[in-house]
Amino acid sequence: MSESEFQFDFNEAGLQGKTFVLAGGSGGLGSAVAHLLARDGASLVIGFHRDADRAKRLQAHLSRFGRAVELVGGDIGDPATRQALLEAGERTGDQVYGLVCLVGDPARVRFDDAGTEDLDGSMRVNYYGPILLARDFAARLRRDETAGAIVLFSTMQAVDLFPSSINYAGPKAALIHAARILAKQWGGPGGIRVNVVAPGVNRAGMALASIQSGKYDPFVERGIIPRFGRAEDVAKAVRLLVEPDNYITGQVLTIDGGLTLRKDLSK
């Protein structure tokens, strides 16, 4: 028996020498992603929309890992903000490799009451901004002829049917379809992998308010899911998808504890 029969390469070098742009990276889910990537050696650009104080606190927290952490404020729907994110990535001195776009808005206007402005606002935040940032990021990588990874954030509401979710789920479902097209368009040897994570009910981010209201308690009480999700669950999924030697592209990873599979059992 050859000694090489059980020799495996799990690429444990980490993320040293690579820069990740995290749009919406200072939020509840984003901060967990930032922590994990920085812990594994990545330099980061943290994008935030309004809460500069929280972004600065996160930057201070991440300093323990000794990696470059740049902050960029603004709306990714604005071309100047997208350009600033990419330029900040280049200033880290490491290879600009990954984009994680955590931007989203719950669009909690009742569909029966929604007008064109409400629906367009949800599309701008939940679809247009992420897709345009992915396009600009990919253009920068392709210009430099370097490989990379993009992870876009959708929602479990885009992969299953939830009443009263159309304002939010519609744009997020469009994001999933677009991501699969982009994975096909930009893939191939030395290309860019594009994947989507679809979080469920997590004790972080936009779902936290729903958990605190008790809306999802029956799913735990009736054993539909074992617990509510944690930001760490999402961060670990992102870490898998951005691994430089990863073999996954064009896929949607739903992180919901099985809620979308089993929610009919609560009836």
Side-chain angles (χ1 to χ4, degrees):
M1 183 180 296
S2 170
E3 282 295 322
S4 64
E5 183 178 5
F6 300 115
Q7 296 296 314
F8 303 102
D9 179 8
F10 288 106
N11 189 22
E12 296 178 346
L15 301 175
Q16 290 84 1
K18 290 183 167 44
T19 292
F20 287 80
V21 174
L22 307 186
S26 63
L29 297 178
S31 56
V33 174
H35 179 106
L36 185 54
L37 297 186
R39 187 202 71 178
D40 286 358
S43 296
L44 301 176
V45 176
I46 306 292
F48 65 94
H49 191 192
R50 295 188 182 90
D51 196 344
D53 289 340
R54 179 181 172 90
K56 291 175 182 176
R57 292 196 303 273
L58 176 60
Q59 184 183 43
H61 166 80
L62 296 174
S63 66
R64 70 187 64 189
F65 300 115
R67 307 304 304 161
V69 180
E70 295 258 355
L71 300 181
V72 174
D75 181 349
I76 64 169
D78 181 352
T81 299
R82 299 197 299 270
Q83 182 177 353
L85 287 166
L86 297 177
E87 290 176 349
E90 293 179 347
R91 286 197 299 271
T92 67
D94 289 333
Q95 176 197 355
V96 177
Y97 170 80
L99 167 67
V100 184
C101 188
L102 302 107
V103 173
D105 183 274
R108 291 193 176 102
V109 176
R110 280 174 21 99
F111 181 61
D112 290 347
D113 301 325
T116 301
E117 184 176 344
D118 299 308
L119 297 179
D120 188 52
S122 181
M123 286 295 291
R124 284 198 307 272
V125 175
N126 294 310
Y127 178 72
Y128 299 151
I131 288 300
L132 290 172
L133 180 56
R135 179 200 66 185
D136 294 353
F137 183 84
R140 190 66 59 95
L141 296 189
R142 294 165 72 195
R143 181 200 70 185
D144 297 337
E145 298 182 340
T146 58
I150 295 174
V151 177
L152 302 177
F153 266 58
S154 184
T155 171
M156 69 175 182
Q157 297 175 33
V159 298
D160 202 355
L161 304 180
F162 288 80
S164 304
S165 68
I166 191 167
N167 299 1
Y168 180 52
K172 287 295 191 180
L175 186 71
I176 289 174
H177 193 69
R180 296 186 66 217
I181 293 172
L182 296 178
K184 182 174 183 177
Q185 184 171 320
W186 296 336
I192 302 166
R193 294 181 300 101
V194 184
N195 290 289
V196 179
V197 295
V201 185
N202 290 274
R203 290 191 178 278
M206 292 182 292
L208 181 59
S210 295
I211 288 178
Q212 292 173 334
S213 73
K215 175 181 177 180
Y216 289 106
D217 286 352
F219 290 108
V220 175
E221 293 166 354
R222 298 173 188 173
I224 304 303
I225 54 176
R227 59 173 173 81
F228 294 129
R230 298 188 293 258
E232 293 89 340
D233 299 319
V234 177
K236 286 187 287 187
V238 171
R239 178 64 181 86
L240 167 69
L241 294 174
V242 301
E243 174 65 36
D245 196 36
N246 192 285
Y247 202 53
I248 302 170
T249 191
Q251 302 303 310
V252 182
L253 182 52
T254 305
I255 311 164
D256 68 348
L259 194 153
T260 51
L261 294 174
R262 295 166 46 83
K263 65 182 175 65
D264 59 304
L265 301 179
S266 66
K267 297 178 181 178

